[in-house]
Amino acid sequence: MRALVIEDEARIASFLEYGLTAEGFTVEIADNGRDGLDLARSREYDVVILDLMLPKLTGEEVLRQLRGQGFPVPVIVLTAKDAVLDRVDNLNAGADDYLVKPFSFAELLARIRARMRVGADAATTGSVITHGPLRLDLPRRRVWRDDVEVALTNREFALLEVFLRHPGQVLSQPQLLDLVWGYGHDPGSNVAEVYVSYLRRKLGADVIETVRGGGYRSAEFR
Ligand code: CA
């Protein structure tokens, strides 16, 4: 799978490149709208991630030109926090979906999956993850423990997904913040700890182990 990231902010571009590469994508980055448009036209991609505030050519203009030429590839737009009205315009202009900055990688991946109906690479992007008594249906965002369905919020679901994608691996609070809450989150926040407690309450205290010295990991369920 190939992804084109059109984003001038190096920190966000590398955050996306890192995450998408880990998910099995081949990633190309354009740091301005003109290069992004040229690349999008000349290569075959499975998805395009498009920032709006870009030098040389704005994201809106890139989108209009691509759609004007019948560009068939899903485009997910990255938009600033307060640009609520712009979002409607973006969808009208041909964006398939949008994410408001700051966003987490888990959120982006969920949007990409929804757009691509990914299922080809079962090892990393399969639509169902099972781990011991737990089962996650990713496209439908549903969770079962011992075949009993458990209702989770989107954030709880994203956190559980991260644990089950890294079975047995120790994940520190800063890592969880990056993966679930996104690069813009306060690194001192204890929100990951709070959400681990939510997951334990809903799914059973044994699903996530606290590791001495800091961090958590999914239980082994032997
Ligand atoms: Ca930008």
Side-chain angles (χ1 to χ4, degrees), residues 4 17-18 25 37 51 88 91 103 117 119 164 189 191:
L4 173 62
E17 182 178 28
Y18 175 84
F25 282 86
L37 183 62
D51 185 35
V88 178
L91 293 173
F103 57 87
R117 295 180 190 86
L164 298 197
S189 165
V191 67

Side-chain angles (χ1 to χ4, degrees), residues 129-186:
I129 300 177
T130 55
H131 182 72
L134 301 174
R135 183 157 54 96
L136 265 73
D137 181 332
L138 298 170
R140 293 178 191 80
R141 303 187 79 73
R142 295 172 68 184
V143 182
W144 293 263
R145 172 160 188 163
D146 299 318
D147 294 324
V148 176
E149 185 162 9
V150 180
L152 297 185
T153 65
N154 285 342
R155 199 68 91 178
E156 291 165 351
F157 189 96
L159 179 62
L160 182 63
E161 183 184 346
V162 164
F163 277 114
L164 298 197
R165 282 181 179 278
H166 304 86
Q169 188 181 322
V170 177
L171 297 164
S172 67
Q173 291 212 35
Q175 281 175 313
L176 293 171
L177 284 172
D178 267 0
L179 287 166
V180 179
W181 281 268
Y183 58 88
H185 208 85
D186 169 14

Side-chain angles (χ1 to χ4, degrees), residues 30 59 64 68 75 107 125 130 137 165 201 210 220:
R64 280 195 188 93
V75 177
E107 285 173 306
T125 53
T130 55
D137 181 332
R165 282 181 179 278
R201 197 177 308 157
T210 301
E220 275 194 58

